Amino acid sequence: MSLLQMSFTGGILILAVIVIRALAINMLPKKAFNALWWISVVRLLIPFSIPSAFSVYSLMGSHAPGNGSQAIRVLPIGASGQAASMPDSITNAVSTWTVVWAAGVLVCAVFFSLAYWKCRKEFQTSIPVGNDFTENWLSVHQQGRRISIRQSGRFSAPLTYGVLHPVILMPTSTKWENTDSLAYVLAHEYVHIRRFDSIRKLVLIVVLCVHWFNPLVWVMYILANRDIELSCDEAVVRFFGENTKAAYARALISMEETRSGLTPLCSSFSKNAIEERITAIMKIKKTTVFSLVLAGFIVVGTATAFATSANAQQAESVGQGSGTEIVTKPDSIPQVDDSFGIFFKDGGRTAGADTEDMKTAVPVQSDDIYGAPVEKTSALADDLSGDNIIYFNTEEERDEHFRALEANVEKGLDRYAGFEEMYKGIDTSAPVTYIVK
């Protein structure tokens, strides 16, 4: 898959997640939305996908309205098996797009790097916190990674940074005597540390830099960060009990009185959409078997429908409104069978016929001639000209024709050897349109 295809399919998946989030944000466990965003991240970063009959792209291909004709546009391949050179205008457009994309990636990367560098410089001005409450808390919550608590006057709300040696950074205005509120705040930051949310945020930034041109990826970046916070809020409430929702919400509001600036790669207690967080906290309910099953069904169903591709044998759309499709190349050439009258053996030698009489490099049956051209008529699609078009009666004829062309190259022959009559009047140096009637 190309970067644009990855971005397009990823954008469709993001739209689906946005709709699900809008409808069920207070119905499902918040971890479900984290899972959906990570499926979107995988779709945006991995240049291949698993074919599925239940993919929306398979369903669209099977039921899309049409006039009964299927057009397939392919680039010609020379005898060496290499694709013919693209026109200079297309090459120049690709080169320009690559330069623009790379420049956008660089700008985004520099922006986030400078923002983190600025924060990092300010982190270094923080000082350790040493009181009985924090020391007791650290003694209970230490992991394999050493956690420390520091304070700074440059930040107005708690945040967490660091992966190997995580630090919980508190503002100097923190009321250390209010241990109940502190317990909620530190528990929230501890969840971030335990879940390695700094790494999650880094991956989101990488995806954003790569797909900077896709506005839906920016939306995903914002909402995924929000859902990381919502999931931590839910974990804290479930740990302390549902009767602490109001107290936890008040602690959240008190920490939101003033907000810090951009802090990439940091998990902050005070993120955007405070109203959404307060509403979500107050609507947290006890997890039920039904909610877990529903969440699993939605996550698996969304991944199956939107993160997979059409079946391998199904054509992929390569244009908006062009009506043309490109067929997946067969994985292998059919094996030669002795029941056929004329065929090539290894090394390009024929059996049962002279080379001059040979019409194709694949088996040919007298009762079922594959690759035979249908008489050319007017174009079946309004947006296709009558030039450079080959017609077939069935998809089987078309696919066998493609295999024959591949076999010619495999046997060291010219790609169109044996099909001279069929390609008479066809410009094989330009794209050829194959239509199944």
Side-chain angles (χ1 to χ4, degrees):
M1 297 178 69
S2 68
L3 179 65
L4 289 177
Q5 287 175 320
M6 292 162 58
S7 198
F8 175 78
T9 56
I12 297 297
L13 176 55
I14 292 171
L15 279 176
V17 177
I18 291 173
V19 172
I20 295 171
R21 188 181 188 276
L23 296 176
I25 185 64
N26 295 315
M27 295 173 55
L28 302 177
K30 300 304 182 291
K31 285 185 177 181
F33 299 103
N34 285 341
L36 289 172
W37 291 128
W38 279 107
I39 293 171
S40 302
V41 165
V42 171
R43 176 63 281 157
L44 289 164
L45 290 181
I46 304 301
F48 57 86
S49 61
I50 301 174
S52 170
F54 300 100
S55 170
V56 292
Y57 306 106
S58 294
L59 300 176
M60 288 169 60
S62 300
H63 301 93
N67 57 8
S69 301
Q70 185 182 20
I72 303 92
R73 190 177 297 278
V74 298
L75 289 176
I77 298 179
S80 63
Q82 301 295 322
S85 299
M86 291 187 295
D88 291 340
S89 59
I90 296 178
T91 303
N92 293 335
V94 172
S95 300
T96 302
W97 154 246
T98 302
V99 172
V100 171
W101 170 78
V105 172
L106 181 62
V107 169
C108 290
V110 169
F111 171 76
F112 283 106
S113 297
L114 289 176
Y116 184 72
W117 178 81
K118 179 177 178 293
C119 290
R120 187 73 182 181
K121 296 289 287 184
E122 295 179 345
F123 294 158
Q124 295 174 352
T125 64
S126 63
I127 59 176
V129 175
N131 56 56
D132 292 340
F133 177 80
T134 57
E135 290 178 1
N136 290 334
W137 188 90
L138 287 173
S139 65
V140 173
H141 293 85
Q142 286 295 350
Q143 299 181 326
R145 297 174 294 159
R146 182 176 60 83
I147 302 173
S148 59
I149 300 177
R150 304 177 68 89
Q151 61 182 353
S152 171
R154 297 176 181 266
F155 297 90
S156 58
L159 59 83
T160 298
Y161 68 91
V163 177
L164 298 179
H165 301 291
V167 176
I168 298 176
L169 190 61
M170 303 291 291
T172 53
S173 59
T174 301
K175 297 178 181 179
W176 299 103
E177 68 277 5
N178 189 350
T179 55
D180 291 338
S181 178
L182 281 174
Y184 297 135
V185 174
L186 295 177
H188 181 97
E189 301 304 330
Y190 181 70
V191 173
H192 280 307
I193 293 172
R194 193 178 59 195
R195 294 181 177 180
F196 291 89
D197 284 340
S198 295
I199 296 179
R200 294 190 187 189
K201 292 173 181 288
L202 176 60
V203 174
L204 287 172
I205 289 175
V206 170
V207 173
L208 185 63
C209 290
V210 173
H211 296 272
W212 59 266
F213 54 88
N214 189 338
L216 289 172
V217 177
W218 289 85
V219 175
M220 181 193 73
Y221 175 77
I222 295 172
L223 294 182
N225 275 287
R226 287 189 186 181
D227 288 338
I228 288 174
E229 298 300 323
L230 292 177
S231 181
C232 287
D233 291 337
E234 184 179 63
V236 173
V237 170
R238 296 201 187 285
F239 177 77
F240 285 99
E242 292 187 24
N243 59 335
T244 63
K245 289 189 294 186
Y248 179 61
R250 285 194 296 268
L252 185 65
I253 293 172
S254 66
M255 292 294 178
E256 184 63 15
E257 291 176 353
T258 56
R259 291 200 305 120
S260 303
L262 178 65
T263 52
L265 308 184
C266 303
S267 297
S268 172
F269 187 79
S270 56
K271 290 298 287 185
N272 295 331
I274 185 64
E275 291 184 5
E276 181 183 48
R277 290 183 66 183
I278 297 300
T279 301
I281 289 170
M282 300 310 296
K283 291 187 177 181
I284 291 176
K285 299 178 181 179
K286 184 178 180 180
T287 302
T288 62
V289 174
F290 174 77
S291 65
L292 291 176
V293 171
L294 179 61
F297 176 80
I298 290 177
V299 171
V300 174
T302 303
T304 302
F306 295 97
T308 57
S309 59
N311 282 335
Q313 298 300 322
Q314 194 162 351
E316 297 180 24
S317 175
V318 294
Q320 295 182 353
S322 65
T324 61
E325 297 175 334
I326 184 167
V327 168
T328 304
K329 177 183 174 182
D331 292 331
S332 61
I333 299 173
Q335 297 294 318
V336 175
D337 192 319
D338 289 340
S339 63
F340 290 101
I342 302 175
F343 58 94
F344 269 114
K345 287 185 176 181
D346 291 340
R349 298 188 305 273
T350 60
D354 293 333
T355 305
E356 294 180 354
D357 297 329
M358 199 64 190
K359 297 299 181 184
T360 177
V362 298
V364 177
Q365 292 175 298
S366 59
D367 297 334
D368 196 2
I369 305 284
Y370 292 126
V374 177
E375 182 179 354
K376 297 180 182 180
T377 60
S378 60
L380 300 179
D382 295 337
D383 59 345
L384 292 175
S385 67
D387 298 330
N388 254 33
I389 298 178
I390 303 273
Y391 294 93
F392 295 94
N393 278 325
T394 66
E395 291 185 9
E396 187 178 34
E397 289 180 357
R398 177 204 65 200
D399 293 343
E400 190 64 26
H401 176 70
F402 288 162
R403 293 189 183 96
L405 296 183
E406 289 293 329
N408 282 346
V409 176
E410 290 286 334
K411 297 299 181 182
L413 304 177
D414 181 84
R415 182 172 179 79
Y416 302 102
F419 294 92
E420 291 82 4
E421 185 66 26
M422 183 175 189
Y423 283 86
K424 187 176 182 179
I426 296 294
D427 181 8
T428 56
S429 66
V432 181
T433 301
Y434 297 87
I435 297 179
V436 177
K437 299 182 74 173

